[in-house]
Amino acid sequence: MIGIFDSGVGGISVWKELQDLMPNHDFVYVADCAYCPYGRKSADEIIERAKKISEFLINKNADIIVVACNTATAAAIEYLRSHFSVPFVGMEPAVKPAAMESKNGVVGVLATAGTFKGSLYLNTLTKFASNVKVIEQIGDGLVELVESGKTHGQEVELLLQRYINPVIDAGADKLVLGCTHYPFLIDTIKKIAKKSLTIINPAPSVAMQTQKIIDENNIQPKSYGSNIFISTGNIETMKMLVHTINPNIVEQNFISYNI
Ligand code: DGL
């Protein structure tokens, strides 16, 4: 079984890629909606939640856990890898492909405050982005909009304009989505970005990396592929977003549970 978790519904955008790639595997997705957002929580608070959720997934027989949250990866992946024996895959800030492909030498990264503070992001900058200018934009409020089911409309557009326009004005030609909630805003992001910015979503590469680790560990699918979605809080937005991707997932597969 492949366990996945996020602070909320954002990681559903990663589940989509994983499920497309490995439809015969079983997935259990945990949305920590009761504690969302993680973006401005302390690293210790995030580690505590990541630990509890990982324990829960391992007790449910997870063979591998995908931390489908940039903020939780930044704060907790080292801790999780040193405390549990199952493999963990985290979200990589896609600064490397953005820097390599940028023609203008300017790239934008839209992420939470927690992701920008993490050593993973800072190391990626040092390793791969020394030859480009990186415009960091904190997307305060965007996670909350997606969590409340608002992925389109004026409120979304105004906030995204506030964050993306300065990136365009700075001459960037790439925009990295550094938070798994943001792919749900892709229509509006593209509308604002027009032709000047190419959007980079790291989720497909993370799914490929997960498949590679699954193959290396010889983890075989045991059934024809099941999908369970658990929320520690509100479950309605998760149902709505999952159904936009796969309308066949039945009501019983959505569970509210206190972790
Ligand atoms: N999806 C999470 C991420 O990728 C959102 C973090 C939050 O809850 O603020 O960073």
Side-chain angles (χ1 to χ4, degrees):
M1 181 271 272
I2 303 173
I4 313 173
F5 76 89
D6 177 38
S7 63
V9 296
I12 299 287
S13 63
V14 182
W15 163 76
K16 177 192 178 298
E17 304 297 335
L18 288 163
Q19 213 245 353
D20 278 353
L21 214 55
M22 296 172 279
N24 295 331
H25 279 274
D26 294 327
F27 292 91
V28 175
Y29 181 97
V30 175
D32 198 14
C33 295
Y35 291 82
C36 190
Y38 282 1
R40 291 203 180 262
K41 283 194 168 52
S42 72
D44 284 348
E45 282 175 284
I46 299 171
I47 288 173
E48 192 53 35
R49 291 307 299 154
K51 182 178 160 223
K52 282 217 171 94
I53 296 166
S54 300
E55 270 162 2
F56 170 84
L57 287 167
I58 291 165
N59 284 335
K60 294 270 172 262
N61 295 324
D63 298 292
I64 181 166
I65 296 178
V66 179
V67 184
C69 175
N70 295 71
T71 316
T73 302
I77 196 99
E78 279 172 34
Y79 175 93
L80 297 172
R81 286 184 176 141
S82 65
H83 273 74
F84 297 104
S85 57
V86 298
F88 282 84
V89 182
M91 296 305 296
E92 283 282 333
V95 174
K96 184 183 172 185
M100 277 166 59
E101 290 161 25
S102 173
K103 291 195 175 65
N104 300 359
V106 186
V107 306
V109 183
L110 187 60
T112 69
T115 296
F116 286 126
K117 272 193 293 196
S119 55
L120 184 70
Y121 173 74
L122 296 175
N123 291 342
T124 311
L125 278 193
T126 323
K127 258 202 241 159
F128 304 114
S130 51
N131 58 332
V132 294
K133 186 172 170 197
V134 179
I135 312 293
E136 294 172 1
Q137 190 68 65
I138 297 174
D140 274 337
L142 295 173
V143 166
E144 288 86 337
L145 284 175
V146 176
E147 286 294 316
S148 65
K150 289 184 195 150
T151 54
H152 294 85
Q154 203 191 17
E155 208 180 336
V156 169
E157 193 162 338
L158 286 176
L159 202 52
L160 280 170
Q161 270 169 357
R162 176 144 39 109
Y163 298 144
I164 296 173
N165 285 342
V167 176
I168 299 173
D169 293 344
D173 56 356
K174 305 283 165 200
L175 178 67
V176 176
L177 302 186
C179 168
T180 55
H181 280 71
Y182 303 161
F184 288 112
L185 306 172
I186 194 75
D187 293 341
T188 314
I189 293 175
K190 280 188 175 157
K191 185 174 159 193
I192 298 165
K194 295 197 197 77
K195 285 204 170 62
S196 44
L197 277 179
T198 313
I199 316 299
I200 302 183
N201 174 14
S205 326
V206 170
M208 284 195 304
Q209 173 67 6
T210 308
Q211 187 174 39
K212 191 172 154 239
I213 295 173
I214 283 178
D215 291 345
E216 280 168 8
N217 286 271
N218 199 21
I219 299 166
Q220 301 290 341
K222 293 183 188 74
S223 71
Y224 296 104
S226 65
N227 292 281
I228 306 285
F229 297 91
I230 296 167
S231 172
T232 61
N234 165 41
I235 199 149
E236 294 312 316
T237 302
M238 182 154 72
K239 276 187 204 166
M240 187 270 284
L241 292 178
V242 167
H243 282 150
T244 60
I245 296 164
N246 182 347
N248 300 322
I249 296 190
V250 294
E251 190 64 30
Q252 297 93 285
N253 291 15
F254 294 95
I255 299 162
S256 291
Y257 192 75
N258 232 336
I259 298 173

